[in-house]
Structure formats: C-alpha cells, structure tokens
Amino acid sequence: MIPFLLTAIFAFLLYLLLTAGSGNLGVWSPAELVMGAFLALIVAAIARTFLCRNHTYRMANPLRWLVLAVYAVVPFFLEMAKANLDVAYRVITGRIRPGIVRIEPGLKTDLGVLLLANSITLTPGTLTVGVDEETNDLFVHMIHVKPGAEKKPTLDATEITAWFDFPAWIRRIAE
Amino acid sequence: MTTILDTAIMICLAIGLIFNALGVIGILRFPDVYTRLHAETKTTTFGTIFIGLAVVIYGLAALLETGEGQYLTLSVHTIIAVVALAFTNATGAHAIARAAYRCGYKPKPAVVDRMAEANQ
C-alpha cells in the first residue's frame, strides 16, 4: 500500500510539473488536475514494484530532496564549472596524463553509489568506468592524474575534486 | 530592462556555444575512447545547461511581461529537459566507458590502471 501511494504522489507531482501554466486554477486547469490524478493512479498500479523495490522509504522525506537540490546547485555546479574550464584548457593545449584510479567513498546504499558515480561522470575530467560490487569502490578514469597519485592503491574521493566533499553531501541525501 | 535581459541571454548562448565547440575540438584532438568521452559528453552537457538557462531567462522574462501561462510551461519544460539530459548523459557515458573497457579497449596512454589489477 505504501509503495502504491508513494508512486502515485510522485507521478502526480511530475505531471503537475509538466503541465504547469496550463490554466486558471492556480497555474493548472481543472481538466489537467483530474487527468493527472487519474493517470497517476494508473501508473502507480502498474509501477509500484519498481520505485520502492527494496522497501526503504528514506527518499520520501522532502528534506532529502531539498538537500539534493542545494547539492546540485551549489557544490556540484561549482565543481562542474571549474572542471569544465580545466578540460577546456586541456582540449586546447593537449596536456593530458590519463589513467584509471580506484577511489574509496565508503557509501553503503545503491542510490548513494548511483548519485556519486553520476556526479563524478558529470564533472569533466573524471569518468566512472566501473564499480566494485562488493566494496562499492569506484574505478574512475581521470584525464589528468596528479603526479604521485598513481602510486597510491586507493584515493580518497576528496582528492579528485577541487573544493567540496561529494561523499559527505551524498551521505546526507541518501543514507 | 530588455537590453540587460537580451545581453544576459546572449552571454549564456555564447558560453554554451563555446563549450559545445570545445567538445567537438576535443573529439578530434584526444587519443583514445576515454579521453574523447571526457571532451564530448561533459563539455557538451555544460554548454547545453547554459543554452537551457538562456531559454529559461527568456521564458521568465516573457512571463513577467505578458503573464501568459505558456511561458511558464516553456521554462519548466526546459528545466526538466536539462535535468533529464544531465542524468542520461552521465549514465550513457558510464555505459559506453564500461562497454569499451569490457570489449578490451584499454586506456592507451595511461599512467595507471587500477581496474586491470582489480579484475585479475
């Protein structure tokens, strides 16, 4: 029952976002609201086993979504901008020193590993190639391995970003 | 007012186009599949975020000016498109890199390869 309700609410909110600005009741038209509720119930009936597969309802807390939004706009975007300038410099000059390093974020949940892997991949200059399924270590291809870093067996996640500690933020969101 | 907004939109579009162009140059310059993925997928995401930002600024300005709902729809849809692009781009790049590695394309100029050691 709880997965059904959560999926229905999630689908309805998504439908509201997609149809914002359609009418005069607030910013939605009455027809869209009725249709949205109807479709959300159908979607929830079909997809309730997919969204909450392992029966943890941690992400139903709106505070975690707020932290996710802050994380995406402040630390993540700043890292991304800085790393983009770095990659632009390397595209122009061609000074690269590529290599695959192993990092040890110490995250426990699948969602946390997904968020960290996606953050690392979206930050230019670092690209997640693989995940060690047992220890949740990530294999990251870096376009410029710092001299000396290739000798260590595992790197800390803070060593591949410039200013912010991504795993600490992600632990706040997903664990 | 409109000139400031126009300038902001132009700057966003210019940043977006410059980074997308750098992504294309990166494909031509870099030596192997992984470094090309760096240039291609990531810089283009950043460029596209700025192009999306230009559309959002335009939509919000038009919304404030006219008050028509269609401009709100335009802005919200652009934000959703940028979020979807960011997630699918990261996942796609991950899938390409993993597939390339499993097919045997090792990173050619590389100072270190921890993944090869782990898989043995």
Side-chain angles (χ1 to χ4, degrees):
Chain A
M1 195 60 201
I2 299 174
F4 177 80
L5 280 179
L6 284 179
T7 314
I9 291 168
F10 186 68
F12 187 59
L13 287 178
L14 215 56
Y15 192 89
L16 288 187
L17 265 184
L18 280 170
T19 55
S22 61
N24 44 10
L25 202 74
V27 287
W28 294 279
S29 64
E32 292 286 5
L33 288 178
V34 173
M35 196 62 199
F38 182 63
L39 285 176
L41 288 177
I42 294 178
V43 167
I46 297 169
R48 68 181 185 281
T49 52
F50 296 105
L51 194 66
C52 310
R53 190 177 287 161
N54 47 11
H55 295 277
T56 48
Y57 307 114
R58 229 181 273 117
M59 291 310 288
N61 184 350
L63 206 62
R64 290 178 185 271
W65 288 88
L66 189 70
V67 178
L68 180 62
V70 173
Y71 167 72
V73 173
V74 184
F76 176 63
F77 191 79
L78 287 178
E79 284 288 343
M80 198 170 162
K82 193 246 162 201
N84 257 295
L85 295 177
D86 189 58
V87 170
Y89 165 76
R90 297 196 190 286
V91 167
I92 293 165
T93 59
R95 280 183 203 156
I96 55 173
R97 203 165 173 280
I100 296 184
V101 299
R102 182 186 184 118
I103 68 161
E104 210 175 10
L107 295 168
K108 287 181 221 63
T109 59
D110 283 355
L111 181 68
V113 175
L114 169 82
L115 277 177
L116 183 66
N118 269 3
S119 303
I120 285 175
T121 303
L122 272 178
T123 311
T126 51
L127 168 73
T128 315
V129 182
V131 181
D132 188 327
E133 306 265 338
E134 284 153 27
T135 55
N136 284 343
D137 287 359
L138 298 175
F139 296 102
V140 177
H141 183 275
M142 294 181 75
I143 203 165
H144 185 83
V145 182
K146 285 195 192 102
E150 73 264 23
K151 297 199 181 61
K152 293 184 221 162
T154 58
L155 288 182
D156 205 45
T158 47
E159 285 179 73
I160 65 168
T161 54
W163 301 307
F164 296 97
D165 188 359
F166 280 178
W169 276 88
I170 285 165
R171 218 162 279 138
R172 245 169 267 161
I173 296 165
E175 284 182 9
Chain B
M1 188 63 192
T2 47
T3 44
I4 296 172
L5 279 174
D6 280 347
T7 320
I9 291 171
M10 289 291 176
I11 289 172
C12 284
L13 283 178
I15 294 174
L17 283 179
I18 287 169
F19 274 100
N20 278 347
L22 280 172
V24 176
I25 297 169
I27 297 184
L28 298 173
R29 278 184 66 99
F30 280 160
D32 70 338
V33 57
Y34 303 99
T35 41
R36 281 181 183 164
L37 270 176
H38 282 298
E40 205 280 324
T41 60
K42 268 60 78 53
T43 39
T44 46
T45 316
F46 195 67
T48 313
I49 284 177
F50 271 95
I51 292 177
L53 194 64
V55 177
V56 170
I57 293 174
Y58 171 80
L60 290 182
L63 175 71
L64 286 180
E65 208 170 295
T66 61
E68 284 177 34
Q70 55 172 341
Y71 293 112
L72 181 65
T73 315
L74 177 70
S75 298
V76 173
H77 281 207
T78 312
I79 292 171
I80 293 175
V82 167
V83 171
L85 183 90
F87 257 88
T88 51
N89 202 322
T91 316
H94 183 123
I96 293 171
R98 187 178 152 92
Y101 200 93
R102 293 202 150 191
C103 289
Y105 288 98
K106 300 291 180 267
K108 203 55 200 277
V111 292
V112 61
D113 187 354
R114 295 281 171 217
M115 195 153 162
E117 298 158 21
N119 286 346
Q120 278 166 7

